[in-house]
Amino acid sequence: MRLAPLAPLAALSALTLGLALPSLASAVTINFDDVSRPCVFSSAPVMTTEYSSQSITFSGGWEGLNQCGNFGVSGHSAPNFLAWNLGIGGQSATETLTFSQDANSIGFLIGTPQGGSASITAYDAAGTALQTVSRSLSGTVQSVNLTATGVRSLTITVPGGSYGVLDDLTYSLNAPPVADAGGPYSGGQGSAISLDGSGSSDSDGSVSNYEWDCTDDGTYDVSSASATANTCTYPDDGTYTVRLRVTDDDGSQATDTATVTVTNALPTANAGGPYTVNQGVALSLDGSASSDSDGTLSDYAWDCTSDGSYDVNDASATASTCTYADVGTYTITLQVTDDDGGTATATA
């Protein structure tokens, strides 16, 4: 059903959202007045990719119309708007706006003379809800201003069976940052390994925060506003993946990973001595001065004659003995093994 036209509405010279746009982000305004539009539904294609050049597409069946269709809604810029009429079929109560890059500072006007309320939810690229707001609707448009950043889609749900308009859509587009985790990195276990995210960048602003997940387990362990101020420390040797997440000055994020190779610090062997003993008598050996800077010693092996064959071994530094059948001077070799399998030798 087509309603009688209303008198033309005064054009608004500008829409003030009350939110400052990011200084370097690209600001966009869509008031649907750039082309001639019909007065009635089904006279023009459904709004879909008409504004894709401005990084936005529409889905849900709503159409671009002219106010001559008499929707009974005032307060928006003349003459055109995005309109819905759920009484004619083929349209959804939920219109989805999808952005091809991160959008911030989203605002628009919405109204229906039938009253009720609209629910608006913003989502990020992963589909996580960032912000939900609701507006009571009337024949005078209500403003919607979102504070969420990094928005990739927006759903607008209106009352079932209603008709109304959405107009004066504004948003700023933010190019997401590029994360560069640097690396590959290497260092000893138990030692702080310096990380470098200085290769990260933001084409339309600056990177404001660097967060590092030392083991890529989903928990960011350290963060800083500096690209080079963070370190990761690993208690065990091995190969790890470190993940960097950067956030730019408009709230958009990006991640990157690098490999960290952590090596075991070798133990230090001390065979004690010099030793003196009578032939045929067990000589008590003492390797207690041996040490491991990044762990513990798990085995003490003794080669009583340094012939390459370890004759006795024990987990204790002082439990082993050597016995010599003949008089003479002998060289004893101690090999210690740490809890990561590292070895070292010393003689006495």
Side-chain angles (χ1 to χ4, degrees):
M1 178 180 70
R2 178 176 173 180
L3 303 177
L6 290 175
L9 299 174
L12 299 180
S13 60
L15 172 65
T16 301
L17 294 179
L19 294 173
L21 296 177
S23 57
L24 294 177
S26 174
V28 178
T29 298
I30 298 175
N31 57 23
F32 308 102
D33 296 332
D34 51 322
V35 297
S36 176
R37 300 188 186 278
C39 298
V40 294
F41 281 102
S42 303
S43 298
V46 168
M47 185 73 66
T48 54
T49 60
E50 185 173 332
Y51 294 98
S52 60
S53 63
Q54 298 185 61
S55 300
I56 189 172
T57 58
F58 300 80
S59 61
W62 296 9
E63 300 178 26
L65 294 182
N66 186 283
Q67 67 184 15
C68 59
N70 190 357
F71 274 70
V73 178
S74 62
H76 61 90
S77 62
N80 300 332
F81 43 70
L82 184 65
W84 76 87
N85 187 344
L86 304 183
I88 65 172
Q91 295 191 13
S92 171
T94 298
E95 179 80 354
T96 300
L97 283 56
T98 302
F99 301 93
S100 61
Q101 57 183 294
D102 289 351
N104 305 325
S105 302
I106 301 170
F108 55 88
L109 302 178
I110 188 169
T112 171
Q114 296 170 298
S117 63
S119 176
I120 302 97
T121 301
Y123 300 87
D124 65 12
T128 302
L130 301 174
Q131 183 182 7
T132 297
V133 300
S134 62
R135 287 291 182 273
S136 296
L137 302 178
S138 70
T140 300
V141 290
Q142 302 297 307
S143 64
V144 176
N145 298 310
L146 300 178
T147 59
T149 60
V151 177
R152 284 303 184 97
S153 65
L154 189 72
T155 58
I156 305 168
T157 302
V158 297
S162 66
Y163 60 84
V165 305
L166 182 152
D167 203 0
D168 301 311
L169 171 64
T170 64
Y171 52 93
S172 61
L173 294 171
N174 176 44
V178 175
D180 186 341
Y185 301 99
S186 62
Q189 68 183 78
S191 299
I193 298 175
S194 296
L195 305 170
D196 187 352
S198 59
S200 304
S201 60
D202 184 38
S203 62
D204 60 355
S206 59
V207 176
S208 59
N209 195 36
Y210 300 79
E211 300 171 277
W212 298 88
D213 178 353
C214 296
T215 56
D216 200 22
D217 62 357
T219 299
Y220 287 89
D221 307 286
V222 290
S223 65
S224 174
S226 169
T228 57
N230 294 306
T231 63
C232 286
T233 302
Y234 300 87
D236 293 309
D237 61 312
T239 301
Y240 298 86
T241 297
V242 61
R243 180 175 295 273
L244 167 65
R245 180 171 67 187
V246 296
T247 304
D248 70 12
D249 53 344
D250 289 304
S252 295
Q253 296 180 322
T255 65
D256 187 38
T257 61
T259 299
V260 183
T261 301
V262 180
T263 56
N264 173 41
L266 296 178
T268 299
N270 189 322
Y275 299 102
T276 301
V277 69
N278 293 325
Q279 69 183 95
V281 178
L283 170 65
S284 294
L285 305 171
D286 186 354
S288 59
S290 303
S291 61
D292 184 36
S293 62
D294 59 358
T296 59
L297 296 175
S298 58
D299 188 68
Y300 299 79
W302 299 88
D303 179 353
C304 295
T305 57
S306 293
D307 62 357
S309 176
Y310 288 92
D311 306 287
V312 290
N313 69 287
D314 197 276
S316 169
T318 57
S320 297
T321 63
C322 285
T323 302
Y324 299 91
D326 296 314
V327 296
T329 300
Y330 298 88
T331 298
I332 300 173
T333 298
L334 166 65
Q335 176 180 275
V336 294
T337 303
D338 68 16
D339 54 345
D340 288 307
T343 61
T345 61
T347 60

